[in-house]
Each structure stands twice: as C-alpha cells, then as structure tokens.
Amino acid sequence: FSHGIPFLAGWLVAIEGPVRGRDYKLYYGWNKIGRDISMDICIANDLKISRDNHASIVYEEKKSKFYLISQSGSLTYLNNKLITDVNLLENGDVLHIGDSVFVFISFCTEERKW
C-alpha cells in the first residue's frame, strides 16, 4: 500500500457468462471472490457463485506469484480442471467460476513489481 492505496497486481477479465466484458482488479495479498458486496471481487449477477468466498486469488509478493484457491467447497476450474487445493496461476490462464469464465492477466512479475 502507498498512502492507503493498494498496489495493483493483475486483472480478471470476464469472457463468458453474466458479467462478460467486465474486468476486476487484483491487488497484493488476498482477493476474495463471491456474490456479496463485502467480497474483494463482487460478482453479484452470477447466482452459481457462492455469496461468501467462493474462491480466492492470492498475490504473494516475495516470489511474485499468483495462486488460485477454491474455498468453502465450491466448484472452481482452472484451464478446465477442477481445483481442490492451491494452484499456481500463469498469465492467460482460464478460470471457470459459477457460470462465468475469466482470463487471468498478471501485471506484477519477477521483473515488474512495485
């Protein structure tokens, strides 16, 4: 954080589903995904996404890596494979969460970080 402003680390861009065309900013640390307004990434229009913490994307700044973590027993897919634990995210990976499909785009890398 710089003067209370979180550092941008990457994006999710919706390519299919009820929020197609929208983008969601990812920041340093935990980015919780769900339908509730209290989530870091609120996807209220997709009723197949859990209200509270369906999944999380974590940016770990020491290694400059992103991870996708399925939460609360919800189904989350990474490149068409069901995830059940912590998975490394790579630029361009495709995430299926509820009825929505997202492309992951990293900004921060080992060469470029704040």
Side-chain angles (χ1 to χ4, degrees), residues 71-83:
Q71 303 284 339
S72 66
S74 301
L75 297 180
T76 302
Y77 297 84
L78 175 59
N79 299 322
N80 290 318
K81 293 182 182 178
L82 177 67
I83 67 163

Side-chain angles (χ1 to χ4, degrees), residues 30-84:
W30 287 78
N31 296 271
K32 295 178 181 178
I33 303 167
R35 284 188 294 123
D36 193 77
I37 191 106
S38 68
M39 296 291 99
D40 302 307
I41 298 172
C42 175
I43 306 171
N45 296 345
D46 189 334
L47 299 180
K48 288 193 178 175
I49 293 178
S50 299
R51 185 173 304 284
D52 294 312
N53 206 11
H54 186 105
S56 293
I57 294 177
V58 179
Y59 174 69
E60 196 275 305
E61 69 177 291
K62 288 184 181 179
K63 294 183 181 176
S64 220
K65 301 285 183 188
F66 291 86
Y67 300 93
L68 176 63
I69 304 169
S70 187
Q71 303 284 339
S72 66
S74 301
L75 297 180
T76 302
Y77 297 84
L78 175 59
N79 299 322
N80 290 318
K81 293 182 182 178
L82 177 67
I83 67 163
T84 57

Side-chain angles (χ1 to χ4, degrees), residues 15-30:
I15 59 171
E16 293 179 28
V19 292
R20 182 175 61 122
R22 294 209 45 208
D23 69 310
Y24 300 88
K25 293 177 182 176
L26 301 170
Y27 297 99
Y28 273 47
W30 287 78

